[in-house]
Amino acid sequence: MKVRVGLIGHCDAWQTRHRPALRVLHDRFDVRAVFNTVAKLAENVAAEFQADVVDGYRALVNRGDIDAVIMLQRNWLGWLPVMAACEAGKAIYWAGDLDFDSVQDAEVRSIVEDSGVAFMVEFPRRYAPATLRLKELIATRLGAPKLIFCHRRLQALGASSVGESDPSRRELVELIDWCRYVVGREPVSVSSVGHQTQVQPDMTSVSDYRCMSLAFPQFDDKPSVTAQISCGSYIRSTWHEAAGFRPPSAMQICCERGVAFIDLPTTLVWFDEAGRNMETLDTESPVGEQLLSQFHRSVTSLLRNMSDLDDAYRAVSIFEAALQSETEGRSISV
């Protein structure tokens, strides 16, 4: 069954993730319409997929030849396209940022739940080949996780970017979800510390580093887990080569019977009593194909799965608890 889709917005991952996946999965997806607030971008995408350019998101979601909407970006329109798609009964693939507000956006969550449409949130770290292989190794060779370390370096925000959405927020929310997915259960508490720096010319203080620890309780025969997650934007944009110098592993995980180092999306090095094992999973399906294949199953299945939306809100609520921990200087129950 081909799912007829409309594209809304544009994002940095379009050329490397979504466009190639839609080309490969042409037997499952048929791009029918494109809407973008930048007309030239919409025209270019529509020309490539032989689709129609539409003048507004409502015109797109209300078309009779559209089964699902792929939201590539949340721009100044906010949640309006999502609510319009719910009203029209169209499935939604959310590839925009995860900058949800667990309180203010509760109404949006209720609208999606009440609409009955399929809703999938894009979690690229979950579906990376290295992550899927790690889950296999945890079940077979490495044993249950005990310690997890994730660190991400970003380019520092310039003075002209102050007031824009904090890119480290999305990274940290995704890292929180990634750790929850790998561990396979929920944390019970979070503690966090942050570092503030002043940005010229008005000396506004912004966070350039945040480190949080998630505590996962013991469960049956599985040990308790501590996950340390950090993200920093402390390297200046003028230090061009510094950000990419000796980047840390995306995840280092210590398990009952071994340790593993992940470099997304396809490299996994793991050690057990037998020694060192290196796997390069370049022949596996890319992340974009994995994600859109999962969305296709979600749209065509008779069973509705809302876990992605719940997971997104759960990760955001943990991040917000981490901010509370920084303010109050104590661990916060989640």
Side-chain angles (χ1 to χ4, degrees), residues 85 153-154 174 211 220 299:
R153 286 203 305 245
L154 302 175
E174 288 191 9
C211 178
D220 291 339
V299 174

Side-chain angles (χ1 to χ4, degrees), residues 3 10 37 43 62 88 94 137 164 185 198 200 207 215 218:
V3 175
H10 194 81
T37 52
E43 293 170 1
N62 288 315
W94 179 261
L137 289 170
E164 298 179 3
R185 57 187 185 273
Q198 293 180 327
Q200 300 287 350
S207 175
Q218 182 178 354

Side-chain angles (χ1 to χ4, degrees), residues 132-143 268 270 279:
L132 300 178
R133 176 58 178 152
L134 173 64
K135 293 282 283 185
E136 293 177 359
L137 289 170
I138 288 173
T140 57
R141 299 291 298 272
L142 296 176
L268 174 67
W270 55 281
E279 301 185 27

Side-chain angles (χ1 to χ4, degrees), residues 266-303:
T266 60
T267 302
L268 174 67
V269 181
W270 55 281
F271 301 80
D272 62 5
E273 292 182 356
R276 180 176 184 266
N277 303 270
M278 181 172 181
E279 301 185 27
T280 303
L281 308 167
D282 293 331
T283 58
E284 300 293 323
S285 297
V287 175
E289 292 179 33
Q290 295 271 9
L291 288 163
L292 286 180
S293 295
Q294 182 69 23
F295 181 57
H296 184 271
R297 286 192 290 271
S298 177
V299 174
T300 57
S301 173
L302 296 177
L303 298 176

Side-chain angles (χ1 to χ4, degrees), residues 249-268:
S249 296
M251 175 181 286
Q252 176 184 342
I253 179 168
C254 178
C255 301
E256 292 176 309
R257 298 188 296 274
V259 63
F261 301 83
I262 289 181
D263 290 313
L264 295 175
T266 60
T267 302
L268 174 67

Side-chain angles (χ1 to χ4, degrees), residues 174-329:
E174 288 191 9
L175 289 173
I176 290 169
D177 174 79
W178 194 24
C179 290
R180 291 174 57 247
Y181 178 74
V182 170
V183 174
R185 57 187 185 273
E186 293 295 332
V188 293
S189 65
V190 61
S191 59
S192 179
V193 293
H195 180 266
Q196 301 287 322
T197 189
Q198 293 180 327
V199 179
Q200 300 287 350
D202 59 355
M203 304 301 287
T204 301
S205 292
V206 297
S207 175
D208 63 357
Y209 180 78
R210 179 167 285 120
C211 178
M212 60 184 67
S213 292
L214 275 60
F216 296 82
Q218 182 178 354
F219 180 76
D220 291 339
D221 60 340
K222 298 178 181 179
S224 60
V225 181
T226 297
Q228 187 182 85
I229 301 171
S230 58
C231 184
S233 54
Y234 45 81
I235 296 179
R236 296 180 187 175
S237 58
T238 54
W239 302 342
H240 302 292
E241 298 182 12
F245 181 70
R246 293 183 183 174
S249 296
M251 175 181 286
Q252 176 184 342
I253 179 168
C254 178
C255 301
E256 292 176 309
R257 298 188 296 274
V259 63
F261 301 83
I262 289 181
D263 290 313
L264 295 175
T266 60
T267 302
L268 174 67
V269 181
W270 55 281
F271 301 80
D272 62 5
E273 292 182 356
R276 180 176 184 266
N277 303 270
M278 181 172 181
E279 301 185 27
T280 303
L281 308 167
D282 293 331
T283 58
E284 300 293 323
S285 297
V287 175
E289 292 179 33
Q290 295 271 9
L291 288 163
L292 286 180
S293 295
Q294 182 69 23
F295 181 57
H296 184 271
R297 286 192 290 271
S298 177
V299 174
T300 57
S301 173
L302 296 177
L303 298 176
R304 186 178 182 223
N305 183 7
M306 288 296 295
S307 62
D308 276 1
L309 185 60
D310 294 337
D311 285 340
Y313 273 84
R314 176 62 174 159
V316 168
S317 69
I318 294 171
F319 177 83
E320 291 172 347
L323 298 184
Q324 181 184 351
S325 171
E326 290 181 24
T327 302
E328 301 180 6

